[in-house]
Amino acid sequence: MQSEEQQTPNHKIGQPVKTATTLALFCKVVDNFGDIGICWRLAQQLKREHGIAVTLWVDDLISFRRICPDVAIDQGQQDIANVHVRHWRNQDGMFSASDVADIVIEFFACDIPPGYICAMAECTPRPVWLNLEGLTAEEWVEGCHTLPSPHPSLSLTKHFFFPGFNHKTGGLLRESSLDQDRPAFQASPVEMENFLSGLGVTPAEMAATRISLFCYPHAPVGALFKEWQKNAQAITCLVPEGVATEAVTAFLGQAATVGSTATHGALTVRVLPFIPQADYDRLLWACDLNFVRGEDSFVRAQWANKAFIWHIYPQDKSLHHVKLNAFLKTCSSCTSSLAAFARAWNDASMETVDWSQLWPALQADMHQIADLSTEWQQKMRENGDLASNLLKFVTSVQQARQKDAV
């Protein structure tokens, strides 16, 4: 029989874990909010929908609190939404086999404590160890998804698990309630108005084309603001505090603090507080166009049924442009106008940017893009959701081990 190290089970084999199961999820915050955003959504879904006892290890509680106000930044351990949260700092050498969870996930190769790894090797049975990788539409991930990686000195095997956009990957994060919550919100003008007014948005601002802006500091926000001021219809741009600070401050003529607002020409810019994830989802649902960044907000924008522009996390040698183009090629809701705008927004167009041409073209296609998004969402649903697919793969590994032991 093949050993565990020789087997590469497909994630569709087996059924989701149903017994009382423990899971440890390790997260190092690199992109301020994207890393913890993904891990926090996954941790909650695993607990709420699958009954998994989740411990979330995170090294940056301050960033975590920005998206989850219930986080106490001075606590080493705390329970939030039935998830056990531990501050990851200086815990190496403090672990025994009894501390190890049945499933161990390191997010984006974050190098979990060596002492925890040694304790994993002492367990019987050994935990299922996964490296949850970053999201990309590049084809190479299909050949790497679920591949095993034996530890060089211990009797342990780690498997790579890739989220993605087809059935050869792990799919996208999506809670089971999302398909009901989003359409219900968007079909209720009263609920949408109450939500926006709670953020300080006025009725006049609601009546305009609503745009949410979440981007990295190097985005060409100032140039786009100038173009939006000349727009034929009014535009309301809603920006979280701390985002595009230089351009927003210049536009406002004052500090970009929560509640600050100004109007020049057709454009009104309003600074919003940083809001919890559930409210951020509603903001995406309530806007006509969403600028998103990194990975977490990028995925949420795909479930919003609205046009969106992705600001991808920059990488050395412009490797992020390859990742961007792979997605633009894959996503069926990306019109030529959206693709051209996205490349310019990410400085990947390789041409002189003319926002006076790019913006009207995108604006004219926004309703078509929203319609195409419905088809794209259905295609993504057919791949299953990331949490369920991950647990199916865990079960397939466990079944393979049992078979190998016979």
Side-chain angles (χ1 to χ4, degrees), residues 273-285:
F274 229 88
I275 52 181
Q277 284 183 323
D279 284 341
Y280 182 68
D281 285 340
R282 294 184 184 96
L283 179 64
L284 296 177
W285 302 345

Side-chain angles (χ1 to χ4, degrees), residues 156-172:
L156 291 169
T157 296
K158 175 168 58 179
H159 289 85
F160 295 96
F161 199 89
F162 285 84
F165 302 98
N166 61 42
H167 69 279
K168 296 179 181 179
T169 65
L172 300 178

Side-chain angles (χ1 to χ4, degrees), residues 6 101 114 154 161 254 354 387 403:
Q6 293 173 311
L154 298 174
F161 199 89
Q254 61 179 323
D354 184 354
K403 183 178 180 181

Side-chain angles (χ1 to χ4, degrees), residues 32 57 65 76 163 204 216 266 315 324 337 344 360 362 399-401:
N32 294 315
W57 292 82
R65 187 170 64 175
Y216 294 111
Q315 294 177 288
L324 172 67
S337 62
L362 175 62
Q399 291 175 344
R401 289 177 177 176

Side-chain angles (χ1 to χ4, degrees), residues 15-22 50-53 102-103 391 395 398:
Q15 298 298 320
V17 176
K18 295 183 189 235
T19 56
T21 302
T22 58
H50 300 279
I52 306 295
D102 303 316
I103 306 167
L391 293 180
T395 299
Q398 293 170 335

Side-chain angles (χ1 to χ4, degrees), residues 184-203 206 210 238 272 275 279 282-283 286:
F185 178 86
Q186 292 177 331
S188 173
V190 173
E191 187 174 354
M192 190 178 299
E193 180 180 344
N194 289 340
F195 170 74
L196 290 172
S197 64
L199 296 175
V201 182
T202 67
M206 294 181 203
R210 297 184 298 272
L238 305 173
L272 302 182
I275 52 181
D279 284 341
R282 294 184 184 96
L283 179 64

Side-chain angles (χ1 to χ4, degrees), residues 138-157:
E138 296 168 276
E139 292 184 2
W140 64 265
V141 303
E142 298 173 9
C144 296
H145 179 55
T146 72
L147 280 182
S149 176
H151 192 278
S153 58
L154 298 174
S155 182
L156 291 169
T157 296

